[in-house]
Amino acid sequence: MLPSLTPLWFWLAGRLPDPAQRRHMDARQRIAALSRQLMAQWQDGRAAAAAAAANGQPTAGAAGGSFAEVGGGINSSSFLAALLEERRKGGGGGTEKLSDVQVIAQCLTFLLAGFETTSTTLAFTAFLLATHPEAQERLLREIDSAGGAQEAGAAPPQLPYLDAVLQESMRLLPAASALIRSPPEDLDLGDGLVIPRGQFVFLATNNFHLDPKNWPQPEAFLPERFLPESGGRLGPSDPAAFAPFGVGPRMCVGNKLAIMAAKSALVQLYRRFTFSLHAKQRLPLRTRTAMTHAPRDGVWVSVHAR
Protein backbone atom coordinates (compact mmCIF):
# COMPACT_ATOMS: atom_id res chain seq x y z
CA MET A 1 0.00 0.00 0.00
CA LEU A 2 3.01 2.26 0.51
CA PRO A 3 5.48 1.07 -2.15
CA SER A 4 7.74 4.09 -1.72
CA LEU A 5 8.55 2.85 1.79
CA THR A 6 9.54 -0.64 0.66
CA PRO A 7 13.28 -0.01 1.29
CA LEU A 8 12.43 1.02 4.87
CA TRP A 9 10.38 -2.15 5.49
CA PHE A 10 13.24 -4.33 4.23
CA TRP A 11 15.73 -2.43 6.39
CA LEU A 12 13.58 -2.80 9.51
CA ALA A 13 12.81 -6.49 8.84
CA GLY A 14 16.50 -7.28 8.46
CA ARG A 15 17.72 -5.36 11.50
CA LEU A 16 14.81 -5.35 13.95
CA PRO A 17 12.87 -8.55 13.28
CA ASP A 18 10.20 -9.67 15.72
CA PRO A 19 9.97 -13.40 16.63
CA ALA A 20 7.58 -14.18 13.77
CA GLN A 21 9.85 -12.44 11.26
CA ARG A 22 12.86 -14.32 12.59
CA ARG A 23 11.04 -17.63 12.07
CA HIS A 24 10.09 -16.60 8.55
CA MET A 25 13.63 -15.49 7.71
CA ASP A 26 15.06 -18.76 9.06
CA ALA A 27 12.56 -20.83 7.06
CA ARG A 28 13.31 -18.89 3.87
CA GLN A 29 17.04 -19.38 4.37
CA ARG A 30 16.57 -23.15 4.77
CA ILE A 31 14.44 -23.29 1.61
CA ALA A 32 17.01 -21.21 -0.26
CA ALA A 33 19.87 -23.46 0.89
CA LEU A 34 17.98 -26.63 -0.13
CA SER A 35 17.02 -25.08 -3.47
CA ARG A 36 20.63 -24.21 -4.23
CA GLN A 37 21.68 -27.76 -3.32
CA LEU A 38 19.07 -29.23 -5.69
CA MET A 39 20.06 -26.79 -8.43
CA ALA A 40 23.69 -27.88 -8.09
CA GLN A 41 22.65 -31.54 -8.21
CA TRP A 42 20.61 -30.89 -11.35
CA GLN A 43 23.58 -29.19 -13.00
CA ASP A 44 25.94 -32.03 -12.03
CA GLY A 45 23.43 -34.63 -13.19
CA ARG A 46 22.96 -32.91 -16.51
CA ALA A 47 26.71 -32.67 -17.04
CA ALA A 48 27.08 -36.38 -16.21
CA ALA A 49 24.27 -37.26 -18.64
CA ALA A 50 25.89 -35.19 -21.38
CA ALA A 51 29.26 -36.89 -20.77
CA ALA A 52 27.64 -40.32 -20.86
CA ALA A 53 25.84 -39.49 -24.10
CA ALA A 54 29.09 -38.31 -25.65
CA ASN A 55 30.64 -41.67 -24.79
CA GLY A 56 27.71 -43.55 -26.29
CA GLN A 57 26.39 -44.71 -22.92
CA PRO A 58 22.62 -44.80 -22.14
CA THR A 59 21.32 -42.01 -19.91
CA ALA A 60 18.29 -41.83 -17.65
CA GLY A 61 16.04 -38.87 -18.19
CA ALA A 62 12.88 -37.51 -19.66
CA ALA A 63 11.67 -38.37 -23.13
CA GLY A 64 14.12 -37.02 -25.67
CA GLY A 65 16.86 -36.68 -23.04
CA SER A 66 16.18 -33.00 -22.43
CA PHE A 67 16.33 -33.42 -18.63
CA ALA A 68 18.78 -35.36 -16.53
CA GLU A 69 17.44 -37.70 -13.84
CA VAL A 70 19.35 -36.97 -10.64
CA GLY A 71 19.48 -39.75 -8.06
CA GLY A 72 18.55 -38.39 -4.65
CA GLY A 73 17.92 -34.97 -6.17
CA ILE A 74 15.12 -33.53 -8.28
CA ASN A 75 12.98 -35.47 -10.71
CA SER A 76 13.34 -34.64 -14.37
CA SER A 77 9.65 -33.76 -14.66
CA SER A 78 9.53 -31.50 -11.60
CA PHE A 79 8.70 -27.80 -11.60
CA LEU A 80 12.25 -26.91 -10.55
CA ALA A 81 13.77 -29.01 -13.35
CA ALA A 82 11.46 -27.30 -15.87
CA LEU A 83 12.57 -23.85 -14.66
CA LEU A 84 16.24 -24.76 -14.83
CA GLU A 85 15.92 -26.34 -18.29
CA GLU A 86 14.10 -23.28 -19.63
CA ARG A 87 16.76 -21.03 -18.14
CA ARG A 88 19.49 -23.14 -19.75
CA LYS A 89 17.82 -22.65 -23.12
CA GLY A 90 17.81 -18.91 -22.57
CA GLY A 91 14.10 -18.39 -21.88
CA GLY A 92 11.56 -17.74 -24.56
CA GLY A 93 9.74 -14.87 -26.20
CA GLY A 94 12.54 -12.44 -25.58
CA THR A 95 12.39 -12.89 -21.80
CA GLU A 96 15.51 -12.59 -19.72
CA LYS A 97 17.01 -15.58 -17.96
CA LEU A 98 15.88 -16.13 -14.39
CA SER A 99 18.54 -15.55 -11.74
CA ASP A 100 19.16 -18.10 -8.98
CA VAL A 101 17.25 -15.90 -6.55
CA GLN A 102 14.28 -15.71 -8.92
CA VAL A 103 14.23 -19.49 -9.35
CA ILE A 104 14.29 -19.92 -5.56
CA ALA A 105 11.51 -17.34 -5.20
CA GLN A 106 9.35 -19.31 -7.65
CA CYS A 107 9.91 -22.50 -5.64
CA LEU A 108 8.97 -20.67 -2.43
CA THR A 109 5.80 -19.37 -4.10
CA PHE A 110 4.81 -22.92 -5.12
CA LEU A 111 5.50 -24.23 -1.62
CA LEU A 112 3.41 -21.52 0.05
CA ALA A 113 0.62 -21.65 -2.52
CA GLY A 114 0.35 -25.43 -2.30
CA PHE A 115 0.42 -25.69 1.50
CA GLU A 116 -1.55 -22.94 3.20
CA THR A 117 -4.37 -22.69 0.68
CA THR A 118 -5.04 -26.45 0.69
CA SER A 119 -4.91 -26.77 4.47
CA THR A 120 -7.19 -23.74 4.82
CA THR A 121 -9.66 -25.23 2.34
CA LEU A 122 -9.72 -28.46 4.37
CA ALA A 123 -10.41 -26.49 7.56
CA PHE A 124 -13.22 -24.51 5.92
CA THR A 125 -14.73 -27.72 4.48
CA ALA A 126 -14.65 -29.47 7.87
CA PHE A 127 -16.40 -26.46 9.42
CA LEU A 128 -19.13 -26.40 6.78
CA LEU A 129 -19.78 -30.13 7.06
CA ALA A 130 -19.83 -29.93 10.86
CA THR A 131 -22.48 -27.21 10.65
CA HIS A 132 -24.47 -29.17 8.04
CA PRO A 133 -24.73 -32.73 9.39
CA GLU A 134 -27.10 -33.80 6.61
CA ALA A 135 -24.41 -32.97 4.03
CA GLN A 136 -21.78 -34.76 6.13
CA GLU A 137 -24.01 -37.85 6.30
CA ARG A 138 -24.53 -37.88 2.54
CA LEU A 139 -20.79 -37.57 2.00
CA LEU A 140 -20.12 -40.47 4.39
CA ARG A 141 -22.54 -42.70 2.49
CA GLU A 142 -20.82 -41.90 -0.80
CA ILE A 143 -17.32 -42.51 0.59
CA ASP A 144 -18.41 -45.78 2.21
CA SER A 145 -20.02 -46.99 -1.00
CA ALA A 146 -16.71 -46.47 -2.81
CA GLY A 147 -15.03 -49.07 -0.62
CA GLY A 148 -11.60 -49.04 1.00
CA ALA A 149 -8.17 -48.08 -0.23
CA GLN A 150 -7.65 -48.47 -3.98
CA GLU A 151 -5.09 -50.79 -5.47
CA ALA A 152 -1.88 -49.21 -6.69
CA GLY A 153 -2.36 -47.84 -10.18
CA ALA A 154 -6.15 -48.19 -10.07
CA ALA A 155 -8.30 -45.27 -11.12
CA PRO A 156 -9.68 -43.29 -8.14
CA PRO A 157 -13.39 -43.81 -7.44
CA GLN A 158 -15.91 -41.35 -8.82
CA LEU A 159 -17.22 -39.27 -5.91
CA PRO A 160 -19.48 -36.59 -7.38
CA TYR A 161 -20.87 -35.42 -4.04
CA LEU A 162 -17.34 -34.99 -2.64
CA ASP A 163 -16.52 -32.90 -5.73
CA ALA A 164 -19.64 -30.81 -5.12
CA VAL A 165 -18.88 -30.34 -1.41
CA LEU A 166 -15.35 -29.16 -2.19
CA GLN A 167 -16.53 -26.78 -4.90
CA GLU A 168 -19.23 -25.29 -2.67
CA SER A 169 -16.70 -24.88 0.14
CA MET A 170 -14.34 -23.02 -2.20
CA ARG A 171 -17.23 -20.86 -3.38
CA LEU A 172 -18.42 -19.82 0.08
CA LEU A 173 -15.01 -19.59 1.74
CA PRO A 174 -12.30 -19.33 -0.93
CA ALA A 175 -8.75 -19.57 0.36
CA ALA A 176 -7.53 -17.18 -2.34
CA SER A 177 -8.85 -13.78 -1.34
CA ALA A 178 -8.34 -12.00 -4.63
CA LEU A 179 -7.24 -12.12 -8.24
CA ILE A 180 -4.95 -9.35 -9.45
CA ARG A 181 -4.63 -8.61 -13.15
CA SER A 182 -3.17 -5.91 -15.39
CA PRO A 183 -4.92 -5.50 -18.76
CA PRO A 184 -2.58 -5.18 -21.77
CA GLU A 185 -5.02 -2.74 -23.40
CA ASP A 186 -7.60 -0.25 -22.13
CA LEU A 187 -10.51 -2.25 -20.73
CA ASP A 188 -13.99 -0.81 -21.25
CA LEU A 189 -16.39 -2.12 -18.59
CA GLY A 190 -19.31 -0.05 -19.86
CA ASP A 191 -21.21 2.77 -18.17
CA GLY A 192 -18.23 5.04 -18.79
CA LEU A 193 -15.83 2.97 -16.68
CA VAL A 194 -12.52 2.33 -18.43
CA ILE A 195 -9.52 0.65 -16.80
CA PRO A 196 -6.34 2.04 -18.38
CA ARG A 197 -3.76 -0.27 -19.89
CA GLY A 198 -1.25 -1.44 -17.29
CA GLN A 199 -3.43 -0.47 -14.31
CA PHE A 200 -3.76 -3.21 -11.70
CA VAL A 201 -7.26 -4.60 -11.22
CA PHE A 202 -8.14 -6.15 -7.86
CA LEU A 203 -10.94 -8.73 -8.07
CA ALA A 204 -12.26 -9.75 -4.63
CA THR A 205 -13.13 -13.45 -5.00
CA ASN A 206 -15.71 -13.37 -2.21
CA ASN A 207 -17.65 -10.61 -3.93
CA PHE A 208 -18.45 -12.48 -7.11
CA HIS A 209 -18.77 -15.85 -5.33
CA LEU A 210 -21.57 -14.36 -3.20
CA ASP A 211 -23.20 -12.17 -5.83
CA PRO A 212 -26.98 -12.84 -5.88
CA LYS A 213 -27.01 -11.95 -9.58
CA ASN A 214 -25.07 -15.16 -10.23
CA TRP A 215 -26.01 -17.38 -7.29
CA PRO A 216 -29.51 -18.04 -5.89
CA GLN A 217 -29.28 -18.20 -2.08
CA PRO A 218 -25.64 -17.12 -2.24
CA GLU A 219 -25.01 -17.37 1.53
CA ALA A 220 -26.32 -20.96 1.80
CA PHE A 221 -24.11 -24.05 1.76
CA LEU A 222 -25.68 -26.08 -1.06
CA PRO A 223 -23.32 -28.63 -2.64
CA GLU A 224 -26.24 -29.57 -4.92
CA ARG A 225 -25.36 -26.46 -6.96
CA PHE A 226 -22.61 -28.45 -8.59
CA LEU A 227 -24.57 -31.65 -9.21
CA PRO A 228 -26.52 -32.40 -12.39
CA GLU A 229 -29.64 -32.93 -10.29
CA SER A 230 -29.93 -29.17 -9.70
CA GLY A 231 -30.24 -28.56 -13.43
CA GLY A 232 -28.32 -25.31 -13.07
CA ARG A 233 -31.10 -23.70 -11.03
CA LEU A 234 -28.69 -22.87 -8.18
CA GLY A 235 -26.08 -21.15 -10.33
CA PRO A 236 -23.81 -19.90 -11.47
CA SER A 237 -25.52 -17.92 -14.19
CA ASP A 238 -22.08 -17.16 -15.66
CA PRO A 239 -19.30 -19.80 -15.65
CA ALA A 240 -16.71 -17.15 -14.78
CA ALA A 241 -18.59 -16.39 -11.54
CA PHE A 242 -16.90 -19.42 -9.95
CA ALA A 243 -13.16 -18.84 -9.91
CA PRO A 244 -11.41 -20.14 -6.77
CA PHE A 245 -8.30 -20.64 -8.91
CA GLY A 246 -8.92 -17.77 -11.32
CA VAL A 247 -9.99 -18.17 -14.93
CA GLY A 248 -8.37 -18.11 -18.35
CA PRO A 249 -4.72 -18.63 -19.26
CA ARG A 250 -3.53 -17.04 -16.00
CA MET A 251 -5.49 -19.32 -13.67
CA CYS A 252 -3.56 -21.11 -10.92
CA VAL A 253 -1.14 -23.56 -12.50
CA GLY A 254 -1.49 -25.90 -9.50
CA ASN A 255 -5.28 -26.14 -9.50
CA LYS A 256 -5.50 -29.83 -10.47
CA LEU A 257 -2.85 -30.81 -7.92
CA ALA A 258 -4.64 -28.82 -5.19
CA ILE A 259 -7.99 -30.46 -5.97
CA MET A 260 -6.44 -33.93 -5.98
CA ALA A 261 -4.66 -33.33 -2.66
CA ALA A 262 -7.77 -31.90 -0.97
CA LYS A 263 -10.02 -34.73 -2.19
CA SER A 264 -7.55 -37.39 -1.11
CA ALA A 265 -7.25 -35.85 2.36
CA LEU A 266 -11.02 -35.53 2.76
CA VAL A 267 -11.60 -39.16 1.77
CA GLN A 268 -9.02 -40.40 4.25
CA LEU A 269 -10.37 -38.18 7.04
CA TYR A 270 -14.04 -39.05 6.60
CA ARG A 271 -13.36 -42.76 6.25
CA ARG A 272 -12.08 -42.65 9.82
CA PHE A 273 -13.79 -39.73 11.56
CA THR A 274 -16.77 -37.42 11.71
CA PHE A 275 -16.67 -33.86 13.03
CA SER A 276 -19.02 -31.73 15.06
CA LEU A 277 -18.65 -28.15 16.26
CA HIS A 278 -16.73 -27.73 19.51
CA ALA A 279 -18.06 -25.48 22.27
CA LYS A 280 -15.12 -23.11 21.66
CA GLN A 281 -16.18 -22.47 18.07
CA ARG A 282 -17.61 -18.97 17.72
CA LEU A 283 -20.45 -18.39 15.31
CA PRO A 284 -20.55 -16.94 12.79
CA LEU A 285 -17.09 -18.08 11.75
CA ARG A 286 -14.65 -15.18 11.86
CA THR A 287 -12.16 -14.99 9.01
CA ARG A 288 -9.26 -12.76 8.12
CA THR A 289 -8.03 -11.69 4.72
CA ALA A 290 -4.36 -11.07 4.07
CA MET A 291 -2.31 -12.84 1.43
CA THR A 292 -4.90 -15.59 1.79
CA HIS A 293 -8.39 -15.90 3.29
CA ALA A 294 -8.40 -18.08 6.43
CA PRO A 295 -10.18 -18.61 9.77
CA ARG A 296 -9.23 -15.85 12.19
CA ASP A 297 -9.27 -18.07 15.28
CA GLY A 298 -8.85 -21.45 13.63
CA VAL A 299 -11.68 -23.98 13.34
CA TRP A 300 -12.73 -25.79 16.53
CA VAL A 301 -14.35 -29.21 16.04
CA SER A 302 -14.82 -32.36 18.07
CA VAL A 303 -13.46 -35.49 16.39
CA HIS A 304 -15.44 -38.72 16.55
CA ALA A 305 -13.92 -42.04 15.46
CA ARG A 306 -16.18 -43.99 13.13
Side-chain angles (χ1 to χ4, degrees):
M1 295 178 67
L2 298 171
S4 61
L5 296 181
T6 296
L8 174 61
W9 306 143
F10 275 104
W11 187 90
L12 289 173
R15 289 162 179 79
L16 299 172
D18 61 8
Q21 177 67 11
R22 280 195 292 271
R23 289 196 300 272
H24 294 163
M25 292 167 67
D26 182 56
R28 285 199 298 270
Q29 288 301 317
R30 290 200 299 270
I31 292 172
L34 179 58
S35 297
R36 291 184 188 280
Q37 177 184 342
L38 291 172
M39 291 160 69
Q41 289 178 352
W42 180 87
Q43 189 66 41
D44 292 344
R46 209 179 188 294
N55 293 327
Q57 300 174 359
T59 60
S66 54
F67 297 139
E69 196 74 60
V70 182
I74 62 176
N75 187 277
S76 62
S77 61
S78 70
F79 170 70
L80 179 55
L83 277 178
L84 295 174
E85 180 67 10
E86 189 64 25
R87 181 173 71 167
R88 184 190 67 81
K89 294 177 180 177
T95 58
E96 297 181 1
K97 288 186 179 181
L98 293 175
S99 67
D100 284 358
V101 171
Q102 288 173 320
V103 171
I104 293 169
Q106 291 292 333
C107 294
L108 180 60
T109 298
F110 260 63
L111 184 63
L112 291 174
F115 173 76
E116 185 181 355
T117 52
T118 303
S119 59
T120 298
T121 296
L122 292 173
F124 279 146
T125 304
F127 169 80
L128 290 167
L129 289 171
T131 53
H132 296 81
E134 72 289 348
Q136 180 172 250
E137 188 59 36
R138 180 172 176 178
L139 177 62
L140 295 176
R141 291 196 302 269
E142 181 180 77
I143 290 175
D144 291 346
S145 68
Q150 302 297 301
E151 295 182 6
Q158 296 297 312
L159 300 171
Y161 193 68
L162 173 63
D163 294 338
V165 164
L166 189 56
Q167 287 176 294
E168 181 70 341
S169 173
M170 292 189 295
R171 182 192 70 84
L172 269 177
L173 295 166
S177 57
L179 307 173
I180 303 175
R181 298 291 184 266
S182 180
E185 304 294 341
D186 290 354
L187 184 60
D188 188 350
L189 298 181
D191 298 327
L193 180 59
V194 177
I195 299 174
R197 177 177 64 87
Q199 181 70 48
F200 282 108
V201 184
F202 184 95
L203 306 169
T205 313
N206 259 61
N207 281 15
F208 55 84
H209 277 191
L210 299 176
D211 189 343
K213 296 178 182 177
N214 291 304
W215 306 93
Q217 299 175 259
E219 303 284 347
F221 176 66
L222 298 172
E224 294 76 16
R225 295 182 199 276
F226 296 96
L227 291 175
E229 64 193 51
S230 71
R233 297 186 309 275
L234 298 173
S237 59
D238 187 308
F242 179 67
F245 297 101
V247 293
R250 295 280 181 183
M251 74 181 300
C252 173
V253 70
N255 70 90
K256 292 183 179 179
L257 176 62
I259 291 292
M260 181 179 68
K263 288 171 60 176
S264 297
L266 288 170
V267 167
Q268 297 305 319
L269 282 171
Y270 283 91
R271 274 182 177 150
R272 293 166 173 80
F273 309 104
T274 59
F275 303 92
S276 60
L277 286 189
H278 192 279
K280 290 186 177 181
Q281 179 61 60
R282 299 174 60 177
L283 294 176
L285 179 67
R286 301 200 312 161
T287 63
R288 56 112 179 114
T289 298
M291 193 171 184
T292 57
H293 179 223
R296 180 181 294 276
D297 309 308
V299 168
W300 291 83
V301 294
S302 297
V303 183
H304 312 280
R306 296 187 65 193

